Each structure stands twice: as structure tokens, then as C-alpha cells.
Amino acid sequence: MRARVVYDTTYGNTRIIAEVIARELGREAAILNVADLTETSLAGVDVLVVGCPINGWRPTAKMQAFLDSLAPGSLAGVRAAAFDTRIKLFIHGDAAGKISQVLAAAGAIIVGKPQGFIVVGTEGPLAPGQTGKAGAWAAFIGAELRATA
Ligand SMILES: Cc1cc2nc3c(=O)[nH]c(=O)nc-3n(C[C@H](O)[C@H](O)[C@H](O)COP(=O)(O)O)c2cc1C
């Protein structure tokens, strides 16, 4: 099960979450900064987890550019999930849900509900318990993947 966790980050908090998720998904999982993606980076990937900070109520510009590059059907057969990092505001917007919709539109099979992880202020750090929550979310996704393999 070749898994990739594609992430964007400005201050490093989303990378920490991506690392936790990849570790939980196992030996064949790796993280990839969205800025480093090439046309072949996702070739042969079975599982794709995508996450970024919410910026202005939506995914970051770099993540949006990646999402815009996904042709319909390009993720056919890939199982996928999405997450974001966000500040705990009354109205914080959403990135994970929007990412998930684009992945589905590209043909991915969505496993697990889109998930948000909280940072304490713009630069972080992650709020208490968020790495544990990320590990649990990834473990749930891993179980879903095994159950439907
Ligand atoms: C320009 C900018 C816009 C932001 N807009 C939002 C927002 O709409 N909603 C929100 O919850 N957080 C917002 N944030 C906070 C980011 O989500 C937070 O900085 C990010 O989760 C930190 O992750 P990182 O360390 O991976 O960059 C914004 C941050 C910046 C810098």
C-alpha cells in the first residue's frame, strides 16, 4: 500500500500533522511538500492524504494550484482523505472539506471524514492533543483501508 501525505505549511504545524499521519499509515507511507510535487510524484500511489492550513477560509494558494491541476479521473482507484490546520475561531472556514470534494471529483474514493486540527494562534504551536488526534484519525483510515482492501 503505497501512501503519500501531500501537505502545505507556512510555520511547520501542518508538516508535524502530516508526519504523524504517515508514521501511522506505515512503512510505505511518506510525506511530500506540495511545492516539491512533480508530474511523476504520485505515480503508482494507492492512498493519498492531502492537508494544508486554512488561509482566508479556504485551502492555501499552493494547495489550490495542486487541486486545480487534478484532471477528472486522474485519481481513479486511489483512496484518499483530507485534513487542515486552523485556528479555533467562531468562523474559521474550511480547507479539508473543500480538498476532499476535489479529490472525489478527480475520481478518488474518500475514506474517513475530512478532519481539522487546531493551532494556538497563526504560527502555532499545535493545540494540546492534536498529534494524538491525528494519530487516531490516521489509524481509523488505516483500518478502513485494510477492511476494504
Ligand atoms: C494569511 C493567513 C490567513 C489565515 N486564514 C485563516 C482562516 O481563514 N481560518 C483559520 O482558521 N485560520 C486561518 N489562518 C491560520 C492558519 O490556519 C494557521 O496559521 C496554520 O494552521 C498554521 O499552520 P502551518 O504552521 O502549517 O503554516 C490564517 C493564517 C494566515 C497566515
Side-chain angles (χ1 to χ4, degrees), residues 8-15 52-58 84-89 91-94 117-119 121-124:
D8 190 18
T9 186
T10 303
Y11 304 105
N13 299 282
T14 313
R15 181 187 167 102
C52 71
I54 302 179
N55 270 188
W57 299 4
R58 58 174 68 89
D84 63 42
T85 56
R86 54 180 68 184
I87 296 175
K88 197 173 182 183
L89 299 171
I91 301 175
H92 43 65
D94 172 58
F117 300 99
I118 307 295
V119 294
T122 299
E123 297 184 20

PDB file of all heavy atoms in Angstrom, residues 8-15 52-58 84-89 91-94 117-119 121-124, ligand 1:
ATOM      1  N   ASP A   8       0.871  21.278   2.695  1.00  0.00           N
ATOM      2  CA  ASP A   8       1.470  22.611   2.583  1.00  0.00           C
ATOM      3  C   ASP A   8       1.607  23.156   3.996  1.00  0.00           C
ATOM      4  O   ASP A   8       0.853  22.743   4.908  1.00  0.00           O
ATOM      5  CB  ASP A   8       0.587  23.528   1.720  1.00  0.00           C
ATOM      6  CG  ASP A   8       1.287  24.837   1.365  1.00  0.00           C
ATOM      7  OD1 ASP A   8       2.539  24.902   1.480  1.00  0.00           O
ATOM      8  OD2 ASP A   8       0.600  25.795   0.964  1.00  0.00           O
ATOM      9  N   THR A   9       2.548  24.026   4.190  1.00  0.00           N
ATOM     10  CA  THR A   9       2.748  24.609   5.513  1.00  0.00           C
ATOM     11  C   THR A   9       3.471  25.939   5.380  1.00  0.00           C
ATOM     12  O   THR A   9       4.266  26.128   4.452  1.00  0.00           O
ATOM     13  CB  THR A   9       3.568  23.667   6.416  1.00  0.00           C
ATOM     14  OG1 THR A   9       3.625  24.203   7.742  1.00  0.00           O
ATOM     15  CG2 THR A   9       4.990  23.457   5.908  1.00  0.00           C
ATOM     16  N   THR A  10       3.200  26.848   6.294  1.00  0.00           N
ATOM     17  CA  THR A  10       3.988  28.078   6.383  1.00  0.00           C
ATOM     18  C   THR A  10       4.872  28.039   7.629  1.00  0.00           C
ATOM     19  O   THR A  10       6.064  28.342   7.562  1.00  0.00           O
ATOM     20  CB  THR A  10       3.059  29.314   6.432  1.00  0.00           C
ATOM     21  OG1 THR A  10       2.216  29.315   5.286  1.00  0.00           O
ATOM     22  CG2 THR A  10       3.877  30.611   6.459  1.00  0.00           C
ATOM     23  N   TYR A  11       4.318  27.613   8.748  1.00  0.00           N
ATOM     24  CA  TYR A  11       5.040  27.667  10.025  1.00  0.00           C
ATOM     25  C   TYR A  11       5.435  26.286  10.561  1.00  0.00           C
ATOM     26  O   TYR A  11       6.009  26.192  11.638  1.00  0.00           O
ATOM     27  CB  TYR A  11       4.182  28.404  11.062  1.00  0.00           C
ATOM     28  CG  TYR A  11       3.792  29.786  10.604  1.00  0.00           C
ATOM     29  CD1 TYR A  11       2.487  30.047  10.168  1.00  0.00           C
ATOM     30  CD2 TYR A  11       4.721  30.819  10.555  1.00  0.00           C
ATOM     31  CE1 TYR A  11       2.121  31.313   9.719  1.00  0.00           C
ATOM     32  CE2 TYR A  11       4.367  32.086  10.104  1.00  0.00           C
ATOM     33  CZ  TYR A  11       3.068  32.320   9.690  1.00  0.00           C
ATOM     34  OH  TYR A  11       2.717  33.573   9.234  1.00  0.00           O
ATOM     35  N   GLY A  12       5.094  25.215   9.835  1.00  0.00           N
ATOM     36  CA  GLY A  12       5.559  23.886  10.221  1.00  0.00           C
ATOM     37  C   GLY A  12       4.549  23.010  10.940  1.00  0.00           C
ATOM     38  O   GLY A  12       4.757  21.798  11.072  1.00  0.00           O
ATOM     39  N   ASN A  13       3.457  23.596  11.404  1.00  0.00           N
ATOM     40  CA  ASN A  13       2.495  22.790  12.174  1.00  0.00           C
ATOM     41  C   ASN A  13       1.825  21.710  11.323  1.00  0.00           C
ATOM     42  O   ASN A  13       1.640  20.574  11.777  1.00  0.00           O
ATOM     43  CB  ASN A  13       1.427  23.708  12.775  1.00  0.00           C
ATOM     44  CG  ASN A  13       2.020  24.726  13.713  1.00  0.00           C
ATOM     45  OD1 ASN A  13       2.353  24.413  14.845  1.00  0.00           O
ATOM     46  ND2 ASN A  13       2.206  25.954  13.237  1.00  0.00           N
ATOM     47  N   THR A  14       1.491  22.044  10.084  1.00  0.00           N
ATOM     48  CA  THR A  14       0.806  21.066   9.228  1.00  0.00           C
ATOM     49  C   THR A  14       1.763  19.937   8.851  1.00  0.00           C
ATOM     50  O   THR A  14       1.345  18.786   8.692  1.00  0.00           O
ATOM     51  CB  THR A  14       0.238  21.756   7.967  1.00  0.00           C
ATOM     52  OG1 THR A  14      -0.444  22.949   8.378  1.00  0.00           O
ATOM     53  CG2 THR A  14      -0.733  20.853   7.240  1.00  0.00           C
ATOM     54  N   ARG A  15       3.031  20.268   8.735  1.00  0.00           N
ATOM     55  CA  ARG A  15       4.021  19.213   8.461  1.00  0.00           C
ATOM     56  C   ARG A  15       4.070  18.207   9.623  1.00  0.00           C
ATOM     57  O   ARG A  15       4.183  16.996   9.405  1.00  0.00           O
ATOM     58  CB  ARG A  15       5.407  19.819   8.240  1.00  0.00           C
ATOM     59  CG  ARG A  15       6.458  18.762   7.940  1.00  0.00           C
ATOM     60  CD  ARG A  15       7.870  19.332   7.893  1.00  0.00           C
ATOM     61  NE  ARG A  15       8.824  18.229   7.904  1.00  0.00           N
ATOM     62  CZ  ARG A  15       9.454  17.776   6.835  1.00  0.00           C
ATOM     63  NH1 ARG A  15       9.295  18.346   5.677  1.00  0.00           N
ATOM     64  NH2 ARG A  15      10.287  16.755   6.919  1.00  0.00           N
ATOM     65  N   CYS A  52      -3.566  21.000   4.407  1.00  0.00           N
ATOM     66  CA  CYS A  52      -2.899  22.319   4.423  1.00  0.00           C
ATOM     67  C   CYS A  52      -3.583  23.205   5.452  1.00  0.00           C
ATOM     68  O   CYS A  52      -4.673  22.883   5.921  1.00  0.00           O
ATOM     69  CB  CYS A  52      -2.965  22.959   3.032  1.00  0.00           C
ATOM     70  SG  CYS A  52      -4.613  23.505   2.561  1.00  0.00           S
ATOM     71  N   PRO A  53      -2.955  24.323   5.768  1.00  0.00           N
ATOM     72  CA  PRO A  53      -3.637  25.285   6.639  1.00  0.00           C
ATOM     73  C   PRO A  53      -4.844  25.897   5.936  1.00  0.00           C
ATOM     74  O   PRO A  53      -4.867  25.977   4.700  1.00  0.00           O
ATOM     75  CB  PRO A  53      -2.573  26.371   6.865  1.00  0.00           C
ATOM     76  CG  PRO A  53      -1.272  25.759   6.471  1.00  0.00           C
ATOM     77  CD  PRO A  53      -1.595  24.744   5.424  1.00  0.00           C
ATOM     78  N   ILE A  54      -5.821  26.337   6.729  1.00  0.00           N
ATOM     79  CA  ILE A  54      -6.847  27.218   6.169  1.00  0.00           C
ATOM     80  C   ILE A  54      -6.225  28.604   6.046  1.00  0.00           C
ATOM     81  O   ILE A  54      -5.618  29.104   6.986  1.00  0.00           O
ATOM     82  CB  ILE A  54      -8.095  27.307   7.082  1.00  0.00           C
ATOM     83  CG1 ILE A  54      -8.722  25.930   7.319  1.00  0.00           C
ATOM     84  CG2 ILE A  54      -9.124  28.248   6.465  1.00  0.00           C
ATOM     85  CD1 ILE A  54      -9.949  25.967   8.241  1.00  0.00           C
ATOM     86  N   ASN A  55      -6.333  29.191   4.887  1.00  0.00           N
ATOM     87  CA  ASN A  55      -5.898  30.579   4.675  1.00  0.00           C
ATOM     88  C   ASN A  55      -7.071  31.319   4.059  1.00  0.00           C
ATOM     89  O   ASN A  55      -7.492  30.986   2.934  1.00  0.00           O
ATOM     90  CB  ASN A  55      -4.697  30.653   3.728  1.00  0.00           C
ATOM     91  CG  ASN A  55      -3.350  30.585   4.436  1.00  0.00           C
ATOM     92  OD1 ASN A  55      -2.314  30.776   3.812  1.00  0.00           O
ATOM     93  ND2 ASN A  55      -3.350  30.308   5.725  1.00  0.00           N
ATOM     94  N   GLY A  56      -7.569  32.308   4.764  1.00  0.00           N
ATOM     95  CA  GLY A  56      -8.689  33.076   4.213  1.00  0.00           C
ATOM     96  C   GLY A  56      -9.889  32.212   3.900  1.00  0.00           C
ATOM     97  O   GLY A  56     -10.486  32.344   2.837  1.00  0.00           O
ATOM     98  N   TRP A  57     -10.196  31.298   4.865  1.00  0.00           N
ATOM     99  CA  TRP A  57     -11.383  30.428   4.814  1.00  0.00           C
ATOM    100  C   TRP A  57     -11.301  29.305   3.786  1.00  0.00           C
ATOM    101  O   TRP A  57     -12.273  28.607   3.535  1.00  0.00           O
ATOM    102  CB  TRP A  57     -12.667  31.241   4.539  1.00  0.00           C
ATOM    103  CG  TRP A  57     -12.977  32.264   5.580  1.00  0.00           C
ATOM    104  CD1 TRP A  57     -12.220  32.598   6.668  1.00  0.00           C
ATOM    105  CD2 TRP A  57     -14.136  33.098   5.643  1.00  0.00           C
ATOM    106  NE1 TRP A  57     -12.826  33.576   7.384  1.00  0.00           N
ATOM    107  CE2 TRP A  57     -14.002  33.910   6.783  1.00  0.00           C
ATOM    108  CE3 TRP A  57     -15.264  33.234   4.838  1.00  0.00           C
ATOM    109  CZ2 TRP A  57     -14.956  34.851   7.142  1.00  0.00           C
ATOM    110  CZ3 TRP A  57     -16.221  34.182   5.202  1.00  0.00           C
ATOM    111  CH2 TRP A  57     -16.069  34.975   6.341  1.00  0.00           C
ATOM    112  N   ARG A  58     -10.134  29.142   3.168  1.00  0.00           N
ATOM    113  CA  ARG A  58     -10.046  28.118   2.106  1.00  0.00           C
ATOM    114  C   ARG A  58      -8.633  27.517   2.099  1.00  0.00           C
ATOM    115  O   ARG A  58      -7.778  27.976   2.867  1.00  0.00           O
ATOM    116  CB  ARG A  58     -10.372  28.747   0.757  1.00  0.00           C
ATOM    117  CG  ARG A  58      -9.480  29.926   0.375  1.00  0.00           C
ATOM    118  CD  ARG A  58      -9.779  30.395  -1.030  1.00  0.00           C
ATOM    119  NE  ARG A  58     -11.084  30.994  -1.155  1.00  0.00           N
ATOM    120  CZ  ARG A  58     -11.372  32.286  -0.969  1.00  0.00           C
ATOM    121  NH1 ARG A  58     -10.398  33.123  -0.637  1.00  0.00           N
ATOM    122  NH2 ARG A  58     -12.584  32.744  -1.112  1.00  0.00           N
ATOM    123  N   ASP A  84      -7.017  19.660   7.492  1.00  0.00           N
ATOM    124  CA  ASP A  84      -6.452  21.009   7.512  1.00  0.00           C
ATOM    125  C   ASP A  84      -6.014  21.351   8.915  1.00  0.00           C
ATOM    126  O   ASP A  84      -6.297  20.620   9.866  1.00  0.00           O
ATOM    127  CB  ASP A  84      -7.441  22.052   6.950  1.00  0.00           C
ATOM    128  CG  ASP A  84      -8.724  22.206   7.754  1.00  0.00           C
ATOM    129  OD1 ASP A  84      -8.665  22.229   9.009  1.00  0.00           O
ATOM    130  OD2 ASP A  84      -9.799  22.286   7.129  1.00  0.00           O
ATOM    131  N   THR A  85      -5.268  22.460   9.024  1.00  0.00           N
ATOM    132  CA  THR A  85      -4.996  23.052  10.328  1.00  0.00           C
ATOM    133  C   THR A  85      -5.664  24.415  10.343  1.00  0.00           C
ATOM    134  O   THR A  85      -5.773  25.082   9.306  1.00  0.00           O
ATOM    135  CB  THR A  85      -3.489  23.166  10.619  1.00  0.00           C
ATOM    136  OG1 THR A  85      -2.857  23.921   9.574  1.00  0.00           O
ATOM    137  CG2 THR A  85      -2.845  21.800  10.714  1.00  0.00           C
ATOM    138  N   ARG A  86      -6.091  24.822  11.525  1.00  0.00           N
ATOM    139  CA  ARG A  86      -6.950  26.003  11.644  1.00  0.00           C
ATOM    140  C   ARG A  86      -6.859  26.584  13.039  1.00  0.00           C
ATOM    141  O   ARG A  86      -6.448  25.896  13.985  1.00  0.00           O
ATOM    142  CB  ARG A  86      -8.388  25.588  11.368  1.00  0.00           C
ATOM    143  CG  ARG A  86      -8.831  24.432  12.247  1.00  0.00           C
ATOM    144  CD  ARG A  86     -10.259  24.003  12.004  1.00  0.00           C
ATOM    145  NE  ARG A  86     -10.513  23.376  10.719  1.00  0.00           N
ATOM    146  CZ  ARG A  86     -11.715  23.011  10.305  1.00  0.00           C
ATOM    147  NH1 ARG A  86     -12.765  23.224  11.087  1.00  0.00           N
ATOM    148  NH2 ARG A  86     -11.881  22.446   9.121  1.00  0.00           N
ATOM    149  N   ILE A  87      -7.236  27.825  13.136  1.00  0.00           N
ATOM    150  CA  ILE A  87      -7.338  28.456  14.448  1.00  0.00           C
ATOM    151  C   ILE A  87      -8.756  28.216  14.959  1.00  0.00           C
ATOM    152  O   ILE A  87      -9.697  28.161  14.166  1.00  0.00           O
ATOM    153  CB  ILE A  87      -7.046  29.966  14.342  1.00  0.00           C
ATOM    154  CG1 ILE A  87      -5.594  30.174  13.895  1.00  0.00           C
ATOM    155  CG2 ILE A  87      -7.271  30.664  15.668  1.00  0.00           C
ATOM    156  CD1 ILE A  87      -5.225  31.614  13.641  1.00  0.00           C
ATOM    157  N   LYS A  88      -8.901  28.089  16.273  1.00  0.00           N
ATOM    158  CA  LYS A  88     -10.240  27.814  16.795  1.00  0.00           C
ATOM    159  C   LYS A  88     -11.024  29.118  16.898  1.00  0.00           C
ATOM    160  O   LYS A  88     -11.109  29.742  17.947  1.00  0.00           O
ATOM    161  CB  LYS A  88     -10.137  27.125  18.159  1.00  0.00           C
ATOM    162  CG  LYS A  88     -11.411  26.447  18.559  1.00  0.00           C
ATOM    163  CD  LYS A  88     -11.233  25.646  19.821  1.00  0.00           C
ATOM    164  CE  LYS A  88     -12.510  24.921  20.177  1.00  0.00           C
ATOM    165  NZ  LYS A  88     -12.366  24.209  21.438  1.00  0.00           N
ATOM    166  N   LEU A  89     -11.551  29.538  15.782  1.00  0.00           N
ATOM    167  CA  LEU A  89     -12.363  30.752  15.713  1.00  0.00           C
ATOM    168  C   LEU A  89     -13.819  30.351  15.565  1.00  0.00           C
ATOM    169  O   LEU A  89     -14.121  29.235  15.154  1.00  0.00           O
ATOM    170  CB  LEU A  89     -11.965  31.593  14.500  1.00  0.00           C
ATOM    171  CG  LEU A  89     -10.531  32.111  14.431  1.00  0.00           C
ATOM    172  CD1 LEU A  89     -10.266  32.724  13.068  1.00  0.00           C
ATOM    173  CD2 LEU A  89     -10.300  33.111  15.547  1.00  0.00           C
ATOM    174  N   ILE A  91     -15.830  31.547  13.307  1.00  0.00           N
ATOM    175  CA  ILE A  91     -15.947  31.282  11.866  1.00  0.00           C
ATOM    176  C   ILE A  91     -14.531  31.100  11.328  1.00  0.00           C
ATOM    177  O   ILE A  91     -13.789  32.066  11.185  1.00  0.00           O
ATOM    178  CB  ILE A  91     -16.627  32.449  11.129  1.00  0.00           C
ATOM    179  CG1 ILE A  91     -18.025  32.695  11.697  1.00  0.00           C
ATOM    180  CG2 ILE A  91     -16.724  32.158   9.629  1.00  0.00           C
ATOM    181  CD1 ILE A  91     -18.727  33.898  11.108  1.00  0.00           C
ATOM    182  N   HIS A  92     -14.116  29.853  11.092  1.00  0.00           N
ATOM    183  CA  HIS A  92     -12.738  29.621  10.638  1.00  0.00           C
ATOM    184  C   HIS A  92     -12.664  29.225   9.181  1.00  0.00           C
ATOM    185  O   HIS A  92     -11.596  29.151   8.603  1.00  0.00           O
ATOM    186  CB  HIS A  92     -12.031  28.578  11.509  1.00  0.00           C
ATOM    187  CG  HIS A  92     -12.890  27.411  11.833  1.00  0.00           C
ATOM    188  ND1 HIS A  92     -13.331  26.553  10.879  1.00  0.00           N
ATOM    189  CD2 HIS A  92     -13.424  26.993  13.014  1.00  0.00           C
ATOM    190  CE1 HIS A  92     -14.097  25.632  11.461  1.00  0.00           C
ATOM    191  NE2 HIS A  92     -14.176  25.876  12.744  1.00  0.00           N
ATOM    192  N   GLY A  93     -13.815  28.966   8.544  1.00  0.00           N
ATOM    193  CA  GLY A  93     -13.793  28.494   7.163  1.00  0.00           C
ATOM    194  C   GLY A  93     -13.428  27.025   7.116  1.00  0.00           C
ATOM    195  O   GLY A  93     -13.512  26.310   8.125  1.00  0.00           O
ATOM    196  N   ASP A  94     -13.001  26.571   5.951  1.00  0.00           N
ATOM    197  CA  ASP A  94     -12.756  25.136   5.770  1.00  0.00           C
ATOM    198  C   ASP A  94     -11.775  24.921   4.618  1.00  0.00           C
ATOM    199  O   ASP A  94     -11.845  25.607   3.602  1.00  0.00           O
ATOM    200  CB  ASP A  94     -14.086  24.444   5.443  1.00  0.00           C
ATOM    201  CG  ASP A  94     -13.905  23.006   5.041  1.00  0.00           C
ATOM    202  OD1 ASP A  94     -13.337  22.232   5.841  1.00  0.00           O
ATOM    203  OD2 ASP A  94     -14.300  22.644   3.920  1.00  0.00           O
ATOM    204  N   PHE A 117      -7.364  20.187  12.443  1.00  0.00           N
ATOM    205  CA  PHE A 117      -6.504  20.149  13.630  1.00  0.00           C
ATOM    206  C   PHE A 117      -6.205  21.596  14.045  1.00  0.00           C
ATOM    207  O   PHE A 117      -5.912  22.447  13.194  1.00  0.00           O
ATOM    208  CB  PHE A 117      -5.230  19.364  13.334  1.00  0.00           C
ATOM    209  CG  PHE A 117      -5.508  17.942  12.931  1.00  0.00           C
ATOM    210  CD1 PHE A 117      -5.522  17.571  11.590  1.00  0.00           C
ATOM    211  CD2 PHE A 117      -5.818  16.986  13.875  1.00  0.00           C
ATOM    212  CE1 PHE A 117      -5.815  16.268  11.205  1.00  0.00           C
ATOM    213  CE2 PHE A 117      -6.126  15.672  13.509  1.00  0.00           C
ATOM    214  CZ  PHE A 117      -6.119  15.319  12.175  1.00  0.00           C
ATOM    215  N   ILE A 118      -6.251  21.832  15.339  1.00  0.00           N
ATOM    216  CA  ILE A 118      -6.241  23.203  15.861  1.00  0.00           C
ATOM    217  C   ILE A 118      -4.824  23.670  16.193  1.00  0.00           C
ATOM    218  O   ILE A 118      -4.051  22.937  16.821  1.00  0.00           O
ATOM    219  CB  ILE A 118      -7.098  23.283  17.152  1.00  0.00           C
ATOM    220  CG1 ILE A 118      -8.502  22.724  16.929  1.00  0.00           C
ATOM    221  CG2 ILE A 118      -7.149  24.717  17.688  1.00  0.00           C
ATOM    222  CD1 ILE A 118      -9.348  23.506  15.963  1.00  0.00           C
ATOM    223  N   VAL A 119      -4.506  24.903  15.758  1.00  0.00           N
ATOM    224  CA  VAL A 119      -3.265  25.549  16.191  1.00  0.00           C
ATOM    225  C   VAL A 119      -3.630  26.698  17.139  1.00  0.00           C
ATOM    226  O   VAL A 119      -4.694  27.295  17.033  1.00  0.00           O
ATOM    227  CB  VAL A 119      -2.427  26.103  15.006  1.00  0.00           C
ATOM    228  CG1 VAL A 119      -1.927  24.977  14.135  1.00  0.00           C
ATOM    229  CG2 VAL A 119      -3.234  27.101  14.180  1.00  0.00           C
ATOM    230  N   GLY A 121      -3.044  30.128  17.691  1.00  0.00           N
ATOM    231  CA  GLY A 121      -2.501  31.330  17.047  1.00  0.00           C
ATOM    232  C   GLY A 121      -1.932  31.003  15.683  1.00  0.00           C
ATOM    233  O   GLY A 121      -1.673  29.836  15.355  1.00  0.00           O
ATOM    234  N   THR A 122      -1.696  32.051  14.883  1.00  0.00           N
ATOM    235  CA  THR A 122      -1.311  31.875  13.477  1.00  0.00           C
ATOM    236  C   THR A 122      -0.080  30.992  13.305  1.00  0.00           C
ATOM    237  O   THR A 122      -0.029  30.134  12.424  1.00  0.00           O
ATOM    238  CB  THR A 122      -1.047  33.257  12.849  1.00  0.00           C
ATOM    239  OG1 THR A 122      -2.257  34.008  12.933  1.00  0.00           O
ATOM    240  CG2 THR A 122      -0.636  33.146  11.393  1.00  0.00           C
ATOM    241  N   GLU A 123       0.927  31.184  14.146  1.00  0.00           N
ATOM    242  CA  GLU A 123       2.180  30.431  13.976  1.00  0.00           C
ATOM    243  C   GLU A 123       2.200  29.133  14.783  1.00  0.00           C
ATOM    244  O   GLU A 123       3.206  28.439  14.808  1.00  0.00           O
ATOM    245  CB  GLU A 123       3.365  31.315  14.364  1.00  0.00           C
ATOM    246  CG  GLU A 123       3.477  32.527  13.465  1.00  0.00           C
ATOM    247  CD  GLU A 123       4.702  33.371  13.751  1.00  0.00           C
ATOM    248  OE1 GLU A 123       5.664  32.862  14.356  1.00  0.00           O
ATOM    249  OE2 GLU A 123       4.695  34.551  13.361  1.00  0.00           O
ATOM    250  N   GLY A 124       1.128  28.821  15.446  1.00  0.00           N
ATOM    251  CA  GLY A 124       1.092  27.637  16.296  1.00  0.00           C
ATOM    252  C   GLY A 124       1.521  27.973  17.710  1.00  0.00           C
ATOM    253  O   GLY A 124       1.485  29.139  18.075  1.00  0.00           O
TER     254      GLY A 124
HETATM  255  C1  LIG B   1      -2.813  34.715   5.619  1.00  0.00           C
HETATM  256  C2  LIG B   1      -3.424  33.768   6.628  1.00  0.00           C
HETATM  257  C3  LIG B   1      -4.803  33.535   6.593  1.00  0.00           C
HETATM  258  C4  LIG B   1      -5.372  32.678   7.540  1.00  0.00           C
HETATM  259  N1  LIG B   1      -6.735  32.450   7.485  1.00  0.00           N
HETATM  260  C5  LIG B   1      -7.290  31.577   8.370  1.00  0.00           C
HETATM  261  C6  LIG B   1      -8.687  31.285   8.316  1.00  0.00           C
HETATM  262  O1  LIG B   1      -9.447  31.767   7.475  1.00  0.00           O
HETATM  263  N2  LIG B   1      -9.191  30.389   9.220  1.00  0.00           N
HETATM  264  C7  LIG B   1      -8.393  29.801  10.176  1.00  0.00           C
HETATM  265  O2  LIG B   1      -8.913  29.013  10.966  1.00  0.00           O
HETATM  266  N3  LIG B   1      -7.076  30.058  10.246  1.00  0.00           N
HETATM  267  C8  LIG B   1      -6.507  30.929   9.386  1.00  0.00           C
HETATM  268  N4  LIG B   1      -5.161  31.177   9.435  1.00  0.00           N
HETATM  269  C9  LIG B   1      -4.354  30.483  10.428  1.00  0.00           C
HETATM  270  C10 LIG B   1      -3.682  29.275   9.785  1.00  0.00           C
HETATM  271  O3  LIG B   1      -4.621  28.264   9.588  1.00  0.00           O
HETATM  272  C11 LIG B   1      -2.503  28.824  10.628  1.00  0.00           C
HETATM  273  O4  LIG B   1      -1.509  29.813  10.510  1.00  0.00           O
HETATM  274  C12 LIG B   1      -1.983  27.483  10.152  1.00  0.00           C
HETATM  275  O5  LIG B   1      -2.882  26.461  10.515  1.00  0.00           O
HETATM  276  C13 LIG B   1      -0.625  27.155  10.702  1.00  0.00           C
HETATM  277  O6  LIG B   1      -0.187  26.009  10.017  1.00  0.00           O
HETATM  278  P1  LIG B   1       1.300  25.920   9.463  1.00  0.00           P
HETATM  279  O7  LIG B   1       2.194  26.053  10.656  1.00  0.00           O
HETATM  280  O8  LIG B   1       1.379  24.598   8.838  1.00  0.00           O
HETATM  281  O9  LIG B   1       1.530  27.030   8.475  1.00  0.00           O
HETATM  282  C14 LIG B   1      -4.569  32.049   8.523  1.00  0.00           C
HETATM  283  C15 LIG B   1      -3.185  32.275   8.530  1.00  0.00           C
HETATM  284  C16 LIG B   1      -2.601  33.121   7.610  1.00  0.00           C
HETATM  285  C17 LIG B   1      -1.120  33.353   7.646  1.00  0.00           C
END
